[in-house]
Coordinates of all heavy atoms in Angstrom, one line a residue:
M26 N 124.3 118.2 123.7 CA 124.1 117.2 122.7 C 122.8 116.6 122.8 O 122.0 116.5 121.8 CB 125.2 116.1 122.7 CG 125.3 115.2 121.5 SD 125.6 116.3 120.0 CE 125.4 115.0 118.8
T27 N 122.4 116.1 124.0 CA 121.1 115.5 124.2 C 120.0 116.4 123.8 O 119.0 116.1 123.2 CB 121.0 115.0 125.6 OG1 122.1 114.2 126.0 CG2 119.7 114.1 125.8
R28 N 120.2 117.7 124.3 CA 119.2 118.7 124.0 C 119.0 118.9 122.5 O 117.9 119.1 122.1 CB 119.7 120.0 124.7 CG 118.6 121.0 124.7 CD 118.9 122.1 125.7 NE 117.8 123.1 125.6 CZ 117.7 124.0 126.5 NH1 118.5 124.1 127.5 NH2 116.7 124.9 126.4
F29 N 120.1 118.9 121.8 CA 120.1 119.1 120.4 C 119.3 117.9 119.7 O 118.4 118.2 118.9 CB 121.5 119.1 119.8 CG 121.5 119.0 118.3 CD1 121.2 120.2 117.5 CD2 121.8 117.9 117.6 CE1 121.2 120.2 116.2 CE2 121.8 117.8 116.2 CZ 121.5 119.0 115.5
V30 N 119.5 116.7 120.2 CA 118.8 115.5 119.7 C 117.3 115.7 120.0 O 116.5 115.4 119.1 CB 119.4 114.2 120.2 CG1 118.5 113.0 119.8 CG2 120.8 114.0 119.7
V31 N 117.0 116.1 121.2 CA 115.6 116.2 121.6 C 114.9 117.3 120.7 O 113.8 117.1 120.2 CB 115.4 116.6 123.1 CG1 114.0 117.0 123.4 CG2 115.9 115.4 123.9
T32 N 115.6 118.4 120.5 CA 115.1 119.5 119.7 C 114.9 119.0 118.2 O 113.9 119.3 117.6 CB 116.1 120.7 119.7 OG1 116.3 121.0 121.0 CG2 115.5 121.9 118.9
L33 N 115.9 118.2 117.7 CA 115.8 117.7 116.4 C 114.6 116.8 116.2 O 113.8 116.9 115.2 CB 117.1 117.0 116.0 CG 117.2 116.5 114.6 CD1 117.3 117.6 113.6 CD2 118.4 115.5 114.5
I34 N 114.4 115.9 117.2 CA 113.3 114.9 117.1 C 111.9 115.7 117.1 O 111.0 115.4 116.4 CB 113.4 113.9 118.2 CG1 114.6 112.9 117.9 CG2 112.1 113.1 118.4 CD1 115.0 112.0 119.1
A35 N 111.9 116.7 118.0 CA 110.6 117.5 118.1 C 110.3 118.2 116.8 O 109.2 118.3 116.4 CB 110.8 118.5 119.3
F36 N 111.4 118.7 116.2 CA 111.3 119.4 115.0 C 110.8 118.5 113.8 O 109.9 118.8 113.1 CB 112.6 120.0 114.6 CG 112.6 120.7 113.3 CD1 112.0 122.0 113.2 CD2 113.3 120.2 112.2 CE1 112.0 122.6 111.9 CE2 113.3 120.9 111.0 CZ 112.6 122.1 110.9
L37 N 111.4 117.3 113.8 CA 111.0 116.3 112.8 C 109.5 115.8 113.0 O 108.8 115.6 112.1 CB 111.9 115.1 112.7 CG 113.3 115.4 112.2 CD1 114.2 114.2 112.4 CD2 113.3 115.8 110.8
A38 N 109.2 115.7 114.3 CA 107.8 115.2 114.6 C 106.8 116.2 114.1 O 105.7 115.9 113.8 CB 107.7 115.0 116.1
L39 N 107.2 117.5 114.1 CA 106.3 118.5 113.7 C 106.2 118.5 112.1 O 105.1 118.7 111.6 CB 106.8 119.9 114.1 CG 106.5 120.4 115.5 CD1 107.2 121.7 115.8 CD2 105.0 120.5 115.7
L40 N 107.3 118.3 111.5 CA 107.4 118.3 110.0 C 106.6 117.2 109.4 O 105.9 117.4 108.4 CB 108.8 118.2 109.6 CG 109.6 119.5 109.4 CD1 110.9 119.2 108.7 CD2 108.8 120.5 108.5
I41 N 106.9 116.0 109.9 CA 106.3 114.8 109.2 C 104.8 114.8 109.1 O 104.2 114.6 108.1 CB 106.9 113.5 109.8 CG1 108.4 113.4 109.5 CG2 106.2 112.2 109.2 CD1 109.2 112.5 110.3
P42 N 104.1 115.0 110.3 CA 102.7 114.9 110.2 C 102.1 116.1 109.3 O 101.1 115.9 108.6 CB 102.2 115.2 111.6 CG 103.3 114.8 112.5 CD 104.6 115.2 111.6
A43 N 102.8 117.2 109.3 CA 102.3 118.3 108.5 C 102.3 117.9 107.0 O 101.3 118.2 106.3 CB 103.3 119.5 108.7
S44 N 103.3 117.2 106.5 CA 103.3 116.9 105.1 C 102.4 115.7 104.8 O 101.7 115.6 103.8 CB 104.7 116.5 104.6 OG 105.2 115.5 105.4
A45 N 102.2 114.8 105.8 CA 101.4 113.6 105.7 C 99.9 114.0 105.7 O 99.1 113.5 105.0 CB 101.7 112.6 106.7
Q46 N 99.6 115.1 106.5 CA 98.2 115.5 106.7 C 97.6 116.1 105.4 O 96.4 116.0 105.2 CB 98.1 116.5 107.8 CG 97.8 115.8 109.1 CD 98.0 116.8 110.3 OE1 98.0 118.0 110.1 NE2 98.1 116.3 111.5
Q47 N 98.4 116.7 104.6 CA 97.9 117.4 103.4 C 97.1 116.4 102.5 O 96.0 116.7 102.2 CB 99.1 118.0 102.6 CG 99.6 119.3 103.3 CD 100.6 120.0 102.4 OE1 101.2 119.4 101.5 NE2 100.8 121.2 102.7
K48 N 97.7 115.4 102.1 CA 97.1 114.4 101.2 C 96.6 113.2 101.9 O 95.8 112.4 101.4 CB 98.0 114.1 100.0 CG 98.1 115.3 99.0 CD 98.6 114.8 97.7 CE 100.1 115.1 97.5 NZ 100.6 114.6 96.3
G49 N 97.2 112.9 103.0 CA 96.9 111.6 103.7 C 97.7 110.5 103.1 O 98.6 110.7 102.3
K50 N 97.4 109.3 103.6 CA 98.1 108.1 103.2 C 97.8 107.8 101.7 O 96.7 107.9 101.2 CB 97.6 106.9 104.0 CG 98.5 105.7 103.9 CD 98.1 104.7 105.0 CE 98.9 103.5 104.9 NZ 98.1 102.3 104.6
G51 N 98.8 107.4 101.0 CA 98.7 107.1 99.5 C 98.3 105.6 99.3 O 98.7 104.8 100.1
H52 N 97.4 105.4 98.4 CA 97.0 104.0 98.0 C 97.1 103.8 96.6 O 96.8 104.7 95.8 CB 95.6 103.8 98.5 CG 95.3 103.8 99.9 ND1 95.6 102.8 100.8 CD2 94.9 104.9 100.7 CE1 95.3 103.1 102.0 NE2 94.9 104.4 102.0
K53 N 97.5 102.6 96.2 CA 97.5 102.2 94.8 C 96.0 102.0 94.4 O 95.2 101.5 95.1 CB 98.2 100.9 94.6 CG 98.4 100.6 93.1 CD 99.1 99.3 92.9 CE 98.8 98.8 91.5 NZ 99.7 98.3 90.8
F54 N 95.7 102.6 93.2 CA 94.3 102.6 92.8 C 94.2 101.9 91.4 O 95.0 102.2 90.5 CB 93.9 104.1 92.6 CG 92.5 104.3 92.1 CD1 91.5 104.6 93.0 CD2 92.3 104.3 90.8 CE1 90.2 104.9 92.5 CE2 91.0 104.6 90.3 CZ 90.0 104.8 91.2
T55 N 93.3 101.0 91.3 CA 93.1 100.3 89.9 C 91.6 100.3 89.7 O 90.8 100.1 90.6 CB 93.7 98.9 89.9 OG1 93.1 98.1 90.9 CG2 95.2 98.9 90.0
G56 N 91.2 100.5 88.5 CA 89.8 100.4 88.2 C 89.5 100.6 86.7 O 90.4 100.7 85.9
K57 N 88.2 100.5 86.4 CA 87.8 100.6 85.0 C 87.0 101.9 84.8 O 86.1 102.2 85.6 CB 86.9 99.4 84.7 CG 86.6 99.3 83.2 CD 85.8 98.0 83.0 CE 85.6 97.7 81.5 NZ 84.7 96.5 81.4
V58 N 87.4 102.7 83.9 CA 86.7 104.0 83.6 C 85.3 103.7 83.1 O 85.1 102.9 82.2 CB 87.5 104.8 82.6 CG1 86.8 106.1 82.2 CG2 88.9 105.1 83.1
T59 N 84.3 104.4 83.7 CA 82.9 104.3 83.2 C 82.5 105.5 82.5 O 81.6 105.5 81.7 CB 81.9 103.9 84.4 OG1 82.0 105.0 85.3 CG2 82.3 102.6 85.0
E60 N 83.1 106.7 82.9 CA 82.7 107.9 82.3 C 83.8 109.0 82.4 O 84.4 109.0 83.4 CB 81.4 108.5 83.0 CG 80.6 109.4 82.2 CD 79.4 109.9 83.0 OE1 78.8 109.1 83.8 OE2 79.1 111.1 82.9
V61 N 84.0 109.7 81.3 CA 85.0 110.8 81.4 C 84.3 112.1 81.3 O 83.5 112.4 80.4 CB 86.0 110.6 80.2 CG1 87.1 111.7 80.3 CG2 86.7 109.3 80.2
G62 N 84.5 113.0 82.3 CA 83.9 114.3 82.3 C 84.9 115.4 82.0 O 86.0 115.1 81.6
K63 N 84.5 116.6 82.2 CA 85.3 117.8 81.9 C 86.6 117.9 82.8 O 87.7 118.2 82.4 CB 84.5 119.1 82.0 CG 84.1 119.7 80.7 CD 83.5 121.1 81.0 CE 83.1 121.7 79.7 NZ 82.3 122.9 80.0
D64 N 86.3 117.6 84.1 CA 87.5 117.8 85.0 C 87.5 116.6 86.0 O 88.2 116.6 87.0 CB 87.4 119.1 85.8 CG 86.1 119.2 86.6 OD1 85.2 118.3 86.5 OD2 86.0 120.1 87.5
A65 N 86.8 115.5 85.6 CA 86.8 114.3 86.5 C 86.5 113.1 85.7 O 86.1 113.2 84.5 CB 85.7 114.5 87.6
V66 N 86.8 112.0 86.3 CA 86.6 110.7 85.6 C 85.9 109.8 86.6 O 86.2 109.8 87.8 CB 88.0 110.1 85.2 CG1 88.9 109.8 86.3 CG2 87.8 108.9 84.3
T67 N 84.9 109.1 86.1 CA 84.2 108.2 87.0 C 84.8 106.8 86.8 O 85.0 106.3 85.6 CB 82.7 108.2 86.7 OG1 82.2 109.5 86.8 CG2 81.9 107.3 87.6
V68 N 85.1 106.2 87.9 CA 85.8 104.9 87.8 C 85.1 103.8 88.7 O 84.7 104.1 89.8 CB 87.3 105.0 88.3 CG1 88.1 103.8 88.1 CG2 88.0 106.2 87.6
N69 N 85.0 102.7 88.1 CA 84.5 101.5 88.9 C 85.8 100.9 89.5 O 86.5 100.2 88.8 CB 83.8 100.5 88.0 CG 83.4 99.3 88.7 OD1 83.6 99.1 89.9 ND2 82.7 98.4 87.9
H70 N 86.2 101.3 90.7 CA 87.5 100.8 91.2 C 87.4 99.6 92.1 O 86.3 99.3 92.7 CB 88.2 102.0 91.9 CG 87.5 102.5 93.2 ND1 87.6 101.8 94.4 CD2 86.8 103.6 93.5 CE1 87.0 102.5 95.3 NE2 86.5 103.6 94.8
G71 N 88.5 99.0 92.2 CA 88.6 97.8 93.1 C 88.7 98.1 94.5 O 88.7 99.3 94.9
D72 N 88.9 97.2 95.4 CA 89.1 97.4 96.8 C 90.4 98.1 97.0 O 91.4 97.9 96.4 CB 89.1 96.0 97.5 CG 89.1 96.2 99.0 OD1 88.5 97.1 99.5 OD2 89.8 95.4 99.7
I73 N 90.3 99.1 97.9 CA 91.5 99.9 98.3 C 91.7 99.6 99.8 O 91.0 100.2 100.6 CB 91.4 101.4 98.0 CG1 91.0 101.7 96.6 CG2 92.7 102.1 98.4 CD1 90.6 103.1 96.3
P74 N 92.5 98.6 100.1 CA 92.5 98.1 101.5 C 92.9 99.2 102.5 O 93.8 100.0 102.3 CB 93.7 97.1 101.5 CG 93.7 96.6 100.1 CD 93.4 97.8 99.2
G75 N 92.1 99.3 103.5 CA 92.3 100.4 104.6 C 91.7 101.7 104.2 O 91.8 102.7 104.9
F76 N 91.0 101.8 103.0 CA 90.5 103.1 102.6 C 89.1 103.0 102.1 O 88.2 103.5 102.8 CB 91.4 103.7 101.5 CG 91.0 105.1 101.1 CD1 90.4 106.0 101.9 CD2 91.3 105.5 99.8 CE1 90.1 107.3 101.5 CE2 90.9 106.7 99.3 CZ 90.3 107.6 100.2
M77 N 88.8 102.2 101.1 CA 87.5 102.1 100.5 C 87.3 100.7 99.9 O 88.2 100.1 99.4 CB 87.3 103.0 99.3 CG 87.1 104.4 99.5 SD 86.6 105.1 98.0 CE 87.6 106.6 98.0
G78 N 86.1 100.3 99.9 CA 85.7 99.1 99.2 C 85.5 99.4 97.7 O 85.6 100.5 97.3
P79 N 85.2 98.3 96.9 CA 85.0 98.6 95.5 C 83.7 99.4 95.3 O 82.7 99.1 96.0 CB 84.8 97.1 94.9 CG 85.2 96.2 96.0 CD 85.1 96.9 97.3
M80 N 83.8 100.3 94.4 CA 82.6 101.1 94.1 C 82.8 101.9 92.8 O 84.0 102.0 92.3 CB 82.3 102.1 95.2 CG 83.4 103.2 95.3 SD 83.0 104.3 96.7 CE 83.7 103.4 98.0
T81 N 81.8 102.5 92.3 CA 81.9 103.4 91.2 C 81.7 104.8 91.7 O 80.7 105.1 92.3 CB 80.8 103.1 90.1 OG1 81.0 101.7 89.7 CG2 81.0 104.0 88.9
M82 N 82.7 105.7 91.4 CA 82.6 107.1 91.9 C 83.5 108.0 91.0 O 84.4 107.5 90.4 CB 82.9 107.2 93.4 CG 84.3 106.9 93.7 SD 84.6 106.9 95.5 CE 85.1 108.7 95.7
P83 N 83.1 109.3 91.0 CA 84.0 110.2 90.3 C 85.2 110.7 91.0 O 85.1 110.8 92.3 CB 83.0 111.4 90.0 CG 82.0 111.3 91.1 CD 82.0 109.9 91.6
Y84 N 86.2 110.9 90.4 CA 87.5 111.4 90.9 C 88.0 112.5 90.1 O 87.9 112.5 88.9 CB 88.6 110.3 91.0 CG 88.4 109.3 92.0 CD1 87.6 108.1 91.8 CD2 88.9 109.4 93.3 CE1 87.4 107.2 92.7 CE2 88.7 108.5 94.3 CZ 88.0 107.4 94.0 OH 87.8 106.4 95.0
K85 N 88.6 113.5 90.7 CA 89.3 114.6 90.0 C 90.7 113.9 89.6 O 91.1 112.9 90.2 CB 89.6 115.8 90.9 CG 88.3 116.4 91.3 CD 88.4 117.9 91.2 CE 87.1 118.6 91.5 NZ 86.4 119.2 90.4
V86 N 91.4 114.6 88.7 CA 92.7 114.1 88.3 C 93.8 115.2 88.5 O 93.4 116.4 88.5 CB 92.7 113.6 86.8 CG1 91.8 112.4 86.7 CG2 92.2 114.7 85.9
D87 N 95.0 114.7 88.7 CA 96.1 115.7 88.9 C 96.4 116.5 87.7 O 96.6 117.7 87.8 CB 97.3 115.1 89.5 CG 97.9 114.0 88.6 OD1 97.3 113.5 87.7 OD2 99.1 113.7 88.8
K88 N 96.3 115.9 86.5 CA 96.6 116.6 85.3 C 95.4 116.3 84.3 O 95.1 115.2 83.9 CB 97.9 116.0 84.6 CG 99.1 116.3 85.5 CD 100.3 115.7 84.9 CE 101.5 115.8 85.8 NZ 102.0 114.4 86.2
V89 N 94.7 117.4 84.0 CA 93.5 117.4 83.2 C 93.7 116.8 81.9 O 92.8 116.2 81.3 CB 92.8 118.8 83.2 CG1 91.4 118.6 82.6 CG2 92.8 119.4 84.5
D90 N 94.9 116.9 81.3 CA 95.1 116.4 79.9 C 95.0 114.9 79.8 O 94.7 114.4 78.7 CB 96.5 116.8 79.4 CG 97.7 116.3 80.2 OD1 97.6 116.4 81.5 OD2 98.6 115.8 79.6
I91 N 95.0 114.2 81.0 CA 94.8 112.7 80.9 C 93.4 112.4 80.5 O 93.1 111.4 79.9 CB 95.1 112.1 82.3 CG1 95.2 110.5 82.1 CG2 94.2 112.4 83.4 CD1 96.4 110.0 81.4
L92 N 92.5 113.4 80.7 CA 91.0 113.1 80.4 C 90.8 113.0 78.9 O 89.8 112.5 78.4 CB 90.2 114.2 81.0 CG 90.2 114.3 82.5 CD1 89.4 115.5 83.0 CD2 89.6 113.0 83.1
S93 N 91.8 113.5 78.1 CA 91.6 113.4 76.6 C 92.2 112.1 76.2 O 92.1 111.7 75.0 CB 92.3 114.6 75.9 OG 93.6 114.6 76.2
K94 N 92.9 111.4 77.1 CA 93.6 110.1 76.7 C 92.9 108.9 77.2 O 93.1 107.8 76.7 CB 95.0 110.1 77.3 CG 95.9 111.1 76.6 CD 97.2 111.3 77.3 CE 98.0 112.5 76.7 NZ 98.9 113.1 77.7
V95 N 92.0 109.1 78.2 CA 91.2 107.9 78.7 C 89.8 107.9 78.1 O 89.3 109.0 77.8 CB 91.2 107.8 80.2 CG1 92.6 107.7 80.8 CG2 90.5 109.0 80.8
K96 N 89.2 106.7 78.0 CA 87.9 106.6 77.6 C 87.2 105.6 78.4 O 87.8 104.7 79.0 CB 87.8 106.4 76.1 CG 88.5 105.1 75.7 CD 88.6 105.0 74.1 CE 89.2 103.6 73.7 NZ 90.5 103.2 74.3
A97 N 85.8 105.6 78.3 CA 85.1 104.6 79.0 C 85.5 103.2 78.6 O 85.7 102.9 77.4 CB 83.6 104.8 78.8
G98 N 85.7 102.3 79.6 CA 86.1 101.0 79.3 C 87.6 100.7 79.6 O 88.0 99.6 79.7
D99 N 88.4 101.8 79.6 CA 89.8 101.7 79.9 C 90.1 101.2 81.3 O 89.4 101.7 82.3 CB 90.5 103.0 79.7 CG 90.8 103.3 78.2 OD1 90.6 102.4 77.4 OD2 91.2 104.5 77.9
Q100 N 91.1 100.4 81.4 CA 91.6 100.0 82.7 C 92.6 101.0 83.1 O 93.5 101.2 82.3 CB 92.1 98.6 82.6 CG 92.4 97.9 83.9 CD 91.2 97.5 84.7 OE1 90.2 97.2 84.2 NE2 91.4 97.4 86.0
I101 N 92.6 101.5 84.3 CA 93.6 102.5 84.7 C 94.2 102.2 86.1 O 93.7 101.4 86.9 CB 93.0 104.0 84.8 CG1 91.9 104.0 85.8 CG2 92.7 104.5 83.5 CD1 91.6 105.5 86.2
E102 N 95.4 102.7 86.2 CA 96.1 102.6 87.5 C 96.5 104.1 87.9 O 96.7 104.9 87.1 CB 97.5 101.9 87.3 CG 97.5 100.5 87.6 CD 98.8 99.8 87.3 OE1 99.9 100.6 87.4 OE2 98.9 98.6 87.1
A103 N 96.4 104.3 89.2 CA 96.7 105.7 89.7 C 97.1 105.6 91.2 O 97.1 104.5 91.8 CB 95.6 106.6 89.5
T104 N 97.4 106.7 91.8 CA 97.6 106.8 93.2 C 96.6 107.7 93.8 O 96.3 108.8 93.2 CB 99.0 107.3 93.5 OG1 100.0 106.4 92.9 CG2 99.3 107.3 95.0
V105 N 95.9 107.3 94.9 CA 94.9 108.2 95.5 C 95.3 108.3 97.0 O 95.9 107.5 97.6 CB 93.5 107.5 95.3 CG1 93.3 106.3 96.1 CG2 92.4 108.5 95.7
Y106 N 95.0 109.5 97.5 CA 95.4 109.8 98.9 C 94.1 110.0 99.7 O 93.1 110.5 99.2 CB 96.2 111.1 98.9 CG 97.6 110.9 98.2 CD1 97.7 111.2 96.9 CD2 98.7 110.4 98.9 CE1 98.9 111.0 96.2 CE2 99.9 110.2 98.2 CZ 100.0 110.5 96.9 OH 101.1 110.3 96.2
E107 N 94.2 109.6 101.0 CA 93.0 109.6 101.8 C 92.3 110.9 102.0 O 91.1 110.9 102.2 CB 93.3 108.9 103.2 CG 93.6 107.5 103.0 CD 93.8 106.7 104.3 OE1 93.6 107.4 105.4 OE2 94.1 105.5 104.3
N108 N 93.0 112.0 102.0 CA 92.3 113.3 102.3 C 92.0 114.0 101.0 O 91.7 115.2 101.0 CB 93.2 114.2 103.2 CG 93.4 113.6 104.5 OD1 92.6 112.7 105.0 ND2 94.5 113.9 105.1
D109 N 92.2 113.4 99.9 CA 92.2 114.1 98.6 C 91.7 113.1 97.5 O 92.4 112.3 97.0 CB 93.6 114.5 98.3 CG 93.8 115.2 97.0 OD1 92.7 115.6 96.4 OD2 94.9 115.5 96.5
Y110 N 90.4 113.3 97.2 CA 89.8 112.4 96.2 C 90.2 112.7 94.8 O 89.4 113.1 93.9 CB 88.3 112.3 96.3 CG 87.9 111.7 97.7 CD1 88.0 112.5 98.8 CD2 87.5 110.4 97.7 CE1 87.6 111.9 100.0 CE2 87.1 109.8 98.9 CZ 87.2 110.6 100.1 OH 86.9 110.0 101.3
T111 N 91.5 112.7 94.6 CA 92.1 113.0 93.3 C 93.0 111.9 92.8 O 93.7 111.3 93.7 CB 92.9 114.3 93.4 OG1 92.1 115.4 93.8 CG2 93.6 114.7 92.0
L112 N 93.0 111.6 91.6 CA 93.9 110.5 91.1 C 95.1 111.1 90.6 O 95.1 112.1 89.8 CB 93.2 109.7 89.9 CG 91.9 109.0 90.3 CD1 91.3 108.3 89.1 CD2 92.1 108.1 91.5
Y113 N 96.2 110.6 91.1 CA 97.6 111.1 90.7 C 98.2 110.1 89.8 O 98.1 108.9 90.0 CB 98.4 111.3 91.9 CG 98.0 112.5 92.7 CD1 96.9 112.5 93.6 CD2 98.6 113.8 92.5 CE1 96.5 113.6 94.3 CE2 98.1 114.9 93.2 CZ 97.1 114.8 94.0 OH 96.7 115.9 94.7
E114 N 99.0 110.6 88.8 CA 99.7 109.7 87.9 C 98.9 108.6 87.3 O 99.2 107.4 87.4 CB 100.9 109.1 88.6 CG 102.0 110.1 89.0 CD 102.9 109.6 90.1 OE1 103.5 108.6 89.9 OE2 102.9 110.3 91.2
V115 N 97.8 109.1 86.7 CA 96.9 108.1 86.0 C 97.6 107.5 84.8 O 98.2 108.2 84.0 CB 95.6 108.8 85.6 CG1 94.7 107.9 84.8 CG2 94.9 109.4 86.8
K116 N 97.5 106.2 84.7 CA 98.1 105.4 83.6 C 97.0 104.5 83.1 O 96.3 103.8 83.8 CB 99.2 104.6 84.1 CG 100.5 105.3 84.1 CD 101.7 104.3 84.4 CE 101.5 103.6 85.7 NZ 102.6 102.7 86.0
V117 N 96.9 104.4 81.7 CA 96.0 103.4 81.1 C 96.8 102.1 81.1 O 97.9 102.1 80.6 CB 95.5 103.9 79.7 CG1 94.7 102.8 79.1 CG2 94.8 105.2 79.8
V118 N 96.2 101.1 81.6 CA 96.8 99.8 81.6 C 96.2 99.0 80.5 O 95.0 98.7 80.5 CB 96.6 99.1 82.9 CG1 97.4 97.8 83.0 CG2 96.9 100.0 84.1
P119 N 97.0 98.6 79.5 CA 96.5 97.7 78.4 C 96.0 96.4 79.0 O 96.6 95.8 79.9 CB 97.7 97.4 77.5 CG 98.7 98.4 78.0 CD 98.5 98.8 79.4
A120 N 94.8 96.0 78.6 CA 94.2 94.8 79.1 C 95.1 93.6 79.0 O 95.1 92.7 79.9 CB 92.9 94.5 78.4
A121 N 95.9 93.5 77.9 CA 96.8 92.4 77.7 C 97.9 92.3 78.7 O 98.4 91.3 79.0 CB 97.3 92.5 76.3
A122 N 98.3 93.5 79.2 CA 99.4 93.6 80.2 C 99.0 93.0 81.5 O 99.9 92.8 82.4 CB 99.9 95.0 80.3
K123 N 97.7 92.8 81.7 CA 97.3 92.3 83.0 C 97.6 90.9 83.3 O 97.9 90.5 84.4 CB 95.7 92.5 83.1 CG 95.3 93.8 83.8 CD 95.6 93.7 85.3 CE 95.3 95.1 86.0 NZ 95.9 95.1 87.3
A124 N 97.6 90.1 82.2 CA 97.8 88.6 82.3 C 99.2 88.3 82.9 O 99.3 87.5 83.8 CB 97.6 87.9 81.0
P125 N 100.3 88.8 82.3 CA 101.6 88.4 82.8 C 101.8 88.8 84.3 O 102.4 88.1 85.1 CB 102.6 89.2 82.0 CG 101.8 89.7 80.8 CD 100.4 89.7 81.2
E126 N 101.2 89.9 84.7 CA 101.2 90.4 86.0 C 100.6 89.4 87.0 O 101.2 89.1 88.1 CB 100.5 91.7 86.2 CG 100.9 92.5 87.4 CD 100.1 93.8 87.5 OE1 100.3 94.7 86.6 OE2 99.3 94.0 88.4
K127 N 99.5 88.8 86.6 CA 98.9 87.8 87.4 C 99.7 86.5 87.5 O 99.8 85.9 88.5 CB 97.5 87.5 86.8 CG 96.4 88.3 87.5 CD 95.0 87.9 86.9 CE 94.0 88.9 87.3 NZ 92.8 88.8 86.6
A128 N 100.3 86.2 86.3 CA 101.1 84.9 86.3 C 102.3 84.9 87.2 O 102.7 83.9 87.7 CB 101.6 84.7 84.8
K129 N 102.8 86.2 87.5 CA 104.0 86.3 88.4 C 103.6 85.8 89.8 O 104.5 85.3 90.5 CB 104.4 87.7 88.4 CG 105.6 88.0 87.6 CD 106.1 89.4 87.8 CE 105.8 90.3 86.7 NZ 106.1 91.8 87.0
K130 N 102.4 86.0 90.3 CA 102.0 85.8 91.6 C 102.0 84.3 92.0 O 101.7 83.4 91.1 CB 100.7 86.4 92.0 CG 100.8 87.9 92.2 CD 99.5 88.5 92.4 CE 99.6 90.0 92.3 NZ 98.3 90.6 92.4
Ligands
CU7 CU1 85.7 105.1 95.9

């Protein structure tokens, strides 16, 4: 029984880092689009604690069709992973929706 548990733990220890290493740790990403390219979007993003400070830089996107929906000046939300400078699940955030979010805090 103990041997089974040890084997199981060793097996899980192998599995978890393997999946985590691919994309790295995920972070919530918010920023303002400054430029939309063919396969990337340039964003003036806010601080991403533990990953990057605020800056303007280009990012690839998980689904290219979002590039036809965003435009310069849009506020967006997405998820970014440390080993992969790609924005996942990009959402345009209406500027008006920002206010109630702040009021909650
Ligand atoms: Cu950056």
Side-chain angles (χ1 to χ4, degrees):
M26 192 58 185
T27 309
R28 190 167 179 168
F29 171 74
V30 171
V31 170
T32 307
L33 184 68
I34 290 167
F36 179 71
L37 290 176
L39 279 175
L40 268 188
I41 295 163
S44 56
Q46 271 168 15
Q47 282 188 342
K48 287 199 256 177
K50 194 171 178 240
H52 295 276
K53 190 183 157 139
F54 178 100
T55 58
K57 193 178 185 182
V58 174
T59 60
E60 204 183 321
V61 180
K63 256 188 180 170
D64 63 351
V66 64
T67 305
V68 186
N69 177 1
H70 67 75
D72 188 37
I73 307 170
F76 184 33
M77 278 192 228
M80 69 180 84
T81 301
M82 64 183 272
Y84 284 90
K85 298 223 176 251
V86 291
D87 61 342
K88 294 174 192 119
V89 192
D90 61 314
I91 191 71
L92 297 174
S93 61
K94 292 169 191 153
V95 297
K96 58 187 188 305
D99 279 350
Q100 190 72 27
I101 57 164
E102 264 181 25
T104 303
V105 68
Y106 297 88
E107 291 189 1
N108 299 336
D109 180 12
Y110 293 79
T111 300
L112 300 181
Y113 288 82
E114 293 159 58
V115 177
K116 277 189 296 184
V117 177
V118 188
K123 268 288 176 195
E126 198 179 294
K127 267 181 191 166
K129 259 188 252 171
K130 282 177 192 173

